[in-house]
Amino acid sequence: MKKQKIIYIAKALFCIGGAVKINNMWNSIKIGFLVVVDAEIFRKAIKYLLGRESAFLKISVIVILCALFPTVSFSEWLLYNVESNAGGGFSNSITADKKDYPHICYCGKTFSQSFVRYAKWTGASWQYEYIDIQNLSTAEFTGDISMTLDKNDEPHISYCIIKGTDKDLKYAHFDGTQWITQTVDAVSSTGLYNSIKTDKNNNPQIVYNDDTKSANRLLYAKWDGKQWVKEVLDSRAGAGQYCVLELDKNDNPNIAQVVIARNSIISYVNFVNGTWNKTDVFAKGYGKYGVSLALDAGSKPYIGAYLGNTYYGNYFFYQQDNIWQMSKIDAIDTSSKSSTRITLDEAGKPIIVYTKNGLNCSRLNSSGVWDIEQIDSGAVGGFSLCATSKQKPYVSYSLSNGGIFVASETALPKEESTTSTGNGNNGNNGNTGNTGNGGEDGKTTANTKYGSSDRVLKAVKTYPNPASIKTGSMKMQYTLVMNSDVNMKFLDAGGKLVKEWSYYAGDSNGKAGPHQVLWDGIMNDGIKISSGLYYFIVEASAGGRVI
């Protein structure tokens, strides 16, 4: 009996040490499992020590466990698939309107085209629009894309277009009737990194970089109601990398950036009393793969960043007595890359999302320790973070399969009565899905918003029906009124996906007019289809018919 006592006491002490270690790592899953196992070990250990089990024993176990795990919380993220095949979605941006409906913009591409796309939650479904489309042979949308909503909840987007070795900064906004596009800066190689916000007058402000070899500057552009007024804010070598913009309560710009050629210094730039001020937040350098910025109600700045070299990890920077301080959120393996996004909760405390073996969210708890939880374990590409009107986080992100997702801790708000307007593809009277190139610096092009989804798709049928798929190909026919995204699926009687095709607006099977697709009966898994009942579904934009 004495030996058994010693074994249980040793196990209890071992588990206390292990629990403390894991508690410091803040791994919620392991901690939750440990509580279940350790409770029994503690119970037996104390029972052998006291010689009996009592109410005091049970309370003691609870007190010990609560002391070990004071602030562990478990939350479940809800994941919404915005678009299954977004052609990459490698760069995306999310924001929320007054109803807490999320709005997302993202870049993607097909085999022949590159595009900028916009998606909006309507309260019942996602509504999609193309903002800009280019042939890959002549241009491509890459680098950062940024979006904000003005006081009327209309979207404003900044993005970069690459034509050969040239990069131009583009701007698009929806004025309530149509999308307007402009070229903000085409003087040199600009806009690979960009960030946009609108002031109280709905005028946009953009920060962006110029990565011309002779320049490498941080630039700022503001629309004054008639034209873009531009300034050079930082001309240090490598300035303007990963720049991000926030406006304070007086609409003054606040900027975080990385100065690459200065050993990747993390820098903060703000406009106060008519003067631009630059401060090196972390002058030791090693800022890598992006910074993020948030302002509290008093316009106090907070920065999230990933540091490389000997610091490897994600960090939180804040001001105390006007001196920048730092707190390590999570260690990152030396062979890995990471990036951060930051917002603030209702209490003004930071919420930081970053990549590490998937997508993670971290919060600073009342004990000054970072609580970490995983949002998605998939291979995440680009991602973005915003806060709702109640300061709850929305996260948009892309996965390696090209899908675009939104993660939320609560269900997306629904509207009792919602009228779907279709995918709203751009085009003059529905003739085209393109918005045009934006012309020369400052000149604009505009297209009318297309509305009724009922007129997008018609004349859907399969032939022959019934079909003998073993003796020939099945013909699937449909007609598009305008250039539209098309997704076709065959489902078996149980609803299982058998075969799927996807085409983008403007592709061979996504152009306005009649189309026919032949299928030899080979399913997605490479096996020939068997006899039975199948459902053929065609979706064009937001309208669909089941045959």
Side-chain angles (χ1 to χ4, degrees):
M1 181 66 70
K2 184 176 181 181
K3 182 178 179 181
Q4 202 169 14
K5 286 183 182 181
I6 294 173
I7 291 173
Y8 278 114
I9 293 169
K11 284 183 178 180
L13 292 174
F14 175 78
C15 288
I16 290 174
V20 171
K21 183 177 180 180
I22 294 176
N23 188 46
N24 288 335
M25 294 170 61
W26 295 102
N27 189 319
S28 299
I29 296 175
K30 292 181 181 178
I31 291 172
F33 175 74
L34 202 65
V35 169
V36 176
V37 175
D38 293 350
E40 181 64 15
I41 294 174
F42 278 125
R43 187 187 68 77
K44 289 183 177 180
I46 297 175
K47 180 179 179 181
Y48 278 114
L49 284 172
L50 299 180
R52 67 184 187 280
E53 186 169 0
S54 63
F56 170 75
L57 168 61
K58 295 177 182 179
I59 295 172
S60 298
V61 172
I62 295 172
V63 171
I64 291 172
L65 293 177
C66 289
L68 283 174
F69 312 107
T71 55
V72 175
S73 60
F74 299 87
S75 63
E76 182 179 352
W77 286 82
L78 303 176
L79 307 182
Y80 294 85
N81 190 348
V82 179
E83 189 169 6
S84 298
N85 184 5
F90 41 83
S91 183
N92 55 80
S93 181
I94 188 170
T95 189
D97 60 27
K98 295 182 184 69
K99 294 182 178 180
D100 286 339
Y101 289 178
H103 299 236
I104 309 167
C105 63
Y106 46 97
C107 299
K109 60 183 177 181
T110 64
F111 290 109
S112 61
Q113 293 181 321
S114 183
F115 58 82
V116 175
R117 193 154 158 86
Y118 165 77
K120 172 187 176 181
W121 178 251
T122 65
S125 62
W126 293 99
Q127 174 181 310
Y128 309 94
E129 300 179 47
Y130 280 109
I131 308 304
D132 209 340
I133 301 177
Q134 297 288 331
N135 291 324
L136 275 175
S137 59
T138 59
E140 183 176 359
F141 302 108
T142 189
D144 282 349
I145 186 169
S146 179
M147 178 174 62
T148 190
L149 300 179
D150 60 29
K151 65 181 182 182
N152 298 321
D153 280 340
E154 300 295 354
H156 298 249
I157 301 170
S158 62
Y159 58 100
C160 177
I161 181 172
I162 297 180
K163 301 176 182 178
T165 58
D166 293 330
K167 302 181 186 73
D168 296 345
L169 177 65
K170 303 277 289 185
Y171 163 71
H173 79 279
F174 190 73
D175 67 359
T177 304
Q178 59 190 12
W179 282 96
I180 308 294
T181 62
Q182 289 183 316
T183 299
V184 178
D185 197 334
V187 174
S188 53
S189 186
T190 58
L192 186 63
Y193 303 106
N194 63 81
S195 180
I196 187 172
K197 287 291 181 288
T198 53
D199 60 25
K200 295 180 180 66
N201 295 318
N202 292 342
N203 289 325
Q205 301 181 35
I206 306 175
V207 294
Y208 58 104
N209 80 310
D210 176 357
D211 65 354
T212 306
K213 290 184 179 180
S214 60
N216 289 289
R217 305 171 298 175
L218 172 65
L219 304 178
Y220 167 76
K222 179 179 180 179
W223 182 255
D224 66 0
K226 296 181 180 179
Q227 61 183 350
W228 290 99
V229 179
K230 305 166 192 174
E231 295 182 65
V232 177
L233 304 185
D234 195 338
S235 57
R236 289 180 290 178
Q241 308 293 303
Y242 309 108
C243 54
V244 59
L245 171 69
E246 292 290 341
L247 301 184
D248 64 23
K249 58 186 179 182
N250 297 318
D251 280 340
N252 291 321
N254 292 250
I255 304 159
Q257 62 161 339
V258 174
V259 184
I260 293 292
R262 293 287 183 117
N263 209 13
S264 298
I265 290 173
I266 297 174
S267 174
Y268 170 66
V269 183
N270 66 334
F271 189 76
V272 181
N273 298 325
T275 303
W276 288 100
N277 302 289
K278 292 194 294 287
T279 305
D280 288 339
V281 177
F282 190 68
K284 294 180 181 180
Y286 312 125
K288 300 284 186 180
Y289 314 120
V291 294
S292 53
L293 174 67
L295 304 179
D296 64 16
S299 299
K300 185 176 180 180
Y302 301 89
I303 294 175
Y306 167 70
L307 300 181
N309 206 310
T310 57
Y311 292 90
Y312 286 108
N314 288 301
Y315 290 80
F316 169 61
F317 295 88
Y318 59 98
Q319 287 184 338
Q320 186 173 0
D321 298 326
N322 295 321
I323 298 175
W324 284 97
Q325 308 289 335
M326 63 188 291
S327 170
K328 190 171 186 177
I329 302 167
D330 196 1
I332 303 294
D333 184 82
T334 56
S335 62
S336 302
K337 296 180 180 180
S338 186
S339 186
T340 66
R341 302 291 184 269
I342 186 173
T343 189
L344 303 177
D345 64 17
E346 286 181 291
K349 293 184 177 181
I351 301 173
I352 295 181
V353 174
Y354 63 96
T355 51
K356 178 186 177 181
N357 300 322
L359 195 62
N360 304 282
C361 179
S362 183
R363 291 175 171 86
L364 191 63
N365 63 36
S366 57
S367 300
V369 180
W370 291 96
D371 292 337
I372 299 171
E373 56 194 12
Q374 190 169 69
I375 299 173
D376 196 314
S377 60
V380 175
F383 67 99
S384 180
L385 170 68
C386 75
T388 67
S389 61
K390 298 178 181 178
Q391 296 304 119
K392 302 297 182 183
Y394 281 160
V395 183
S396 65
Y397 62 100
S398 63
L399 293 179
S400 56
N401 63 4
I404 293 288
F405 296 83
V406 166
S408 173
E409 292 181 307
T410 57
L412 295 184
K414 293 184 179 295
E415 199 164 67
E416 292 297 328
S417 178
T418 303
T419 302
S420 175
T421 59
N423 94 326
N425 283 296
N426 298 317
N428 291 316
N429 299 320
N431 294 326
T432 176
N434 295 332
T435 60
N437 298 332
E440 299 299 324
D441 189 11
K443 295 183 180 179
T444 66
T445 59
N447 283 20
T448 303
K449 183 177 180 181
Y450 189 84
S452 176
S453 63
D454 295 335
R455 296 163 48 203
V456 173
L457 179 67
K458 63 181 182 180
V460 179
K461 65 179 181 178
T462 61
Y463 179 83
N465 190 7
S468 177
I469 201 68
K470 295 182 178 180
T471 60
S473 297
M474 175 178 286
K475 298 177 182 179
M476 296 161 288
Q477 300 173 338
Y478 60 92
T479 298
L480 297 176
V481 175
M482 61 169 292
N483 290 3
S484 305
D485 285 348
V486 177
N487 182 257
M488 300 191 301
K489 299 177 183 178
F490 262 90
L491 307 179
D492 63 18
K496 181 181 178 180
L497 179 65
V498 172
K499 183 69 176 179
E500 183 176 20
W501 300 260
S502 293
Y503 307 102
Y504 285 95
D507 283 352
S508 58
N509 286 312
K511 295 181 180 180
H515 298 277
Q516 177 173 281
V517 177
L518 300 179
W519 183 35
D520 59 4
I522 302 299
M523 298 185 290
N524 285 341
D525 57 9
I527 300 174
K528 193 81 171 181
I529 193 173
S530 59
S531 299
L533 176 66
Y534 295 88
Y535 296 96
F536 174 47
I537 298 176
V538 183
E539 297 173 316
S541 304
R545 293 179 59 191
V546 179
I547 304 297

